[in-house]
């Protein structure tokens, strides 16, 4: 388990204020201050695990003997039960507290909904995506999604979507958020490979912005309205 010194050092390493870390780890600022200053001598394990998790999602690697460092790159594979939900959670946790934008090449919302439905029977498939989109909006996070021309299955606000010509559309999404690039294979089994590298993420955004500028805003077709 990480210690108070590592919390202070990691926060400095990623240039987060106590307010940002407290928000990301779902803690009060006063609790975080007490942990960092040693006023809470033995913080709850669950609390420190939550703090460690948000730092690791930002690329911090914790080492033996209270050491830490930034990963130059990070590859993580999500696979199996609840992997789809874990991907959505990683998007949210990576950007929560700082806001930002998620860009997605080639998504089909009906397939995404089906994968989430298989993850768990606790909630309906549409409820899962709608809940995720709602928390993104509350955290001032928006998405830009390239979907196949003619697709009108809008789970998010309509202006988040643009139509990509069908001949160029591929049904396996690529996500870019923060410094992370994710390639999704719907399966079965569902698999998401997360690669973290700031330079490649910037390059992918430039390609996306070019394609986005050439694509038509998605809209409801006349037959849908009538």
């Amino acid at each position: 388990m990480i210690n108070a010194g590592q919390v202070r050092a990691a926060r400095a390493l990623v240039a987060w204020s106590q307010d940002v870390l407290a928000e990301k780890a779902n803690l009060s600022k006063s609790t975080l201050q007490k942990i960092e200053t040693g006023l809470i001598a033995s913080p709850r394990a669950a609390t420190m695990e939550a703090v460690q998790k948000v730092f690791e999602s930002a690329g911090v690697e914790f080492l033996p003997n209270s050491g830490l460092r930034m990963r130059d790159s990070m590859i993580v594979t999500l696979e199996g039960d609840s992997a789809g939900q874990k991907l959505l959670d990683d998007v949210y946790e990576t950007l929560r507290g700082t806001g930002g934008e998620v860009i997605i090449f080639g998504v089909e919302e009906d397939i995404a909904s089906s994968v989430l439905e298989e993850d768990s029977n606790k909630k309906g498939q549409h409820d899962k995506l709608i809940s995720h989109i709602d928390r993104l909006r509350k955290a001032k996070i928006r998405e830009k999604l390239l979907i196949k021309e003619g697709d009108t299955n809008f789970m998010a606000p309509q202006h988040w979507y643009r139509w990509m010509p069908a001949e160029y559309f591929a049904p396996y999404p690529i996500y870019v958020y923060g410094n992370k690039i994710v390639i999704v294979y719907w399966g079965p089994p569902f698999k998401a490979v997360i690669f973290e590298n700031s330079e490649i993420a910037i390059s992918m955004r430039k390609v996306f912005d070019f394609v986005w500028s050439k694509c038509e805003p998605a809209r409801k077709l006349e037959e849908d309205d009538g």
Side-chain angles (χ1 to χ4, degrees):
M1 187 173 69
I2 63 174
N3 57 46
Q6 286 176 299
V7 174
R8 293 192 300 271
R11 189 165 57 77
L13 193 60
V14 295
W16 287 350
S17 67
Q18 288 184 330
D19 289 315
V20 169
L21 177 55
E23 171 69 18
K24 285 180 173 289
N26 198 25
L27 298 173
S28 68
K29 183 178 179 180
S30 62
T31 297
L32 178 58
Q33 289 173 331
K34 290 176 183 177
I35 291 172
E36 289 195 358
T37 58
L39 291 177
I40 300 178
S42 299
R44 294 173 53 196
T47 298
M48 299 306 284
E49 287 171 2
V51 172
Q52 181 172 343
K53 179 180 177 181
V54 297
F55 278 132
E56 289 176 339
S57 72
V60 177
E61 182 179 5
F62 292 96
L63 306 172
N65 302 315
S66 298
L68 69 157
R69 66 185 178 190
M70 288 296 295
R71 296 184 179 93
D72 292 330
S73 62
M74 178 176 65
I75 298 177
V76 175
T77 300
L78 303 177
E79 186 175 5
D81 294 343
S82 300
Q85 185 63 52
K86 287 177 183 177
L87 173 59
L88 298 184
D89 290 343
D90 188 68
V91 170
Y92 177 67
E93 293 296 340
T94 298
L95 298 179
R96 182 165 69 106
T98 58
E101 185 174 77
V102 186
I103 61 176
I104 308 175
F105 295 84
V107 68
E108 291 180 299
E109 298 285 37
D110 55 342
I111 295 178
S113 296
S114 297
V115 170
L116 289 174
E117 184 181 36
E118 292 171 1
D119 279 348
S120 171
N121 293 321
K122 292 181 180 179
K123 295 182 69 176
Q125 54 180 331
H126 292 291
D127 289 341
K128 283 178 174 289
L129 273 181
I130 290 171
S131 295
H132 173 66
I133 292 164
D134 184 57
R135 67 178 175 174
L136 292 184
R137 298 178 73 178
K138 288 179 179 177
K140 302 187 185 311
I141 301 166
R142 63 162 289 173
E143 293 181 332
K144 287 183 177 178
L145 305 100
L146 288 170
I147 60 176
K148 185 164 63 175
E149 187 174 13
D151 186 352
T152 59
N153 186 14
F154 308 137
M155 301 293 293
Q158 185 174 319
H159 65 275
W160 286 12
Y161 298 88
R162 288 198 178 182
W163 277 339
M164 182 178 245
E167 62 266 33
Y168 298 112
F169 181 83
Y172 297 99
I174 298 174
Y175 287 63
V176 183
Y177 54 94
N179 293 329
K180 297 178 180 180
I181 306 97
V182 184
I183 300 174
V184 171
Y185 173 67
W186 294 120
F190 174 92
K191 183 180 293 186
V193 179
I194 304 175
F195 177 70
E196 185 167 356
N197 183 282
S198 59
E199 289 83 3
I200 295 177
I202 290 170
S203 296
M204 293 294 292
R205 285 193 187 90
K206 289 181 178 179
V207 173
F208 182 93
D209 287 343
F210 173 77
V211 177
W212 180 266
S213 71
K214 303 296 182 182
C215 290
E216 179 185 353
R219 56 184 173 78
K220 287 289 186 181
L221 299 176
E222 291 182 6
E223 54 266 34
D224 293 333
D225 298 331

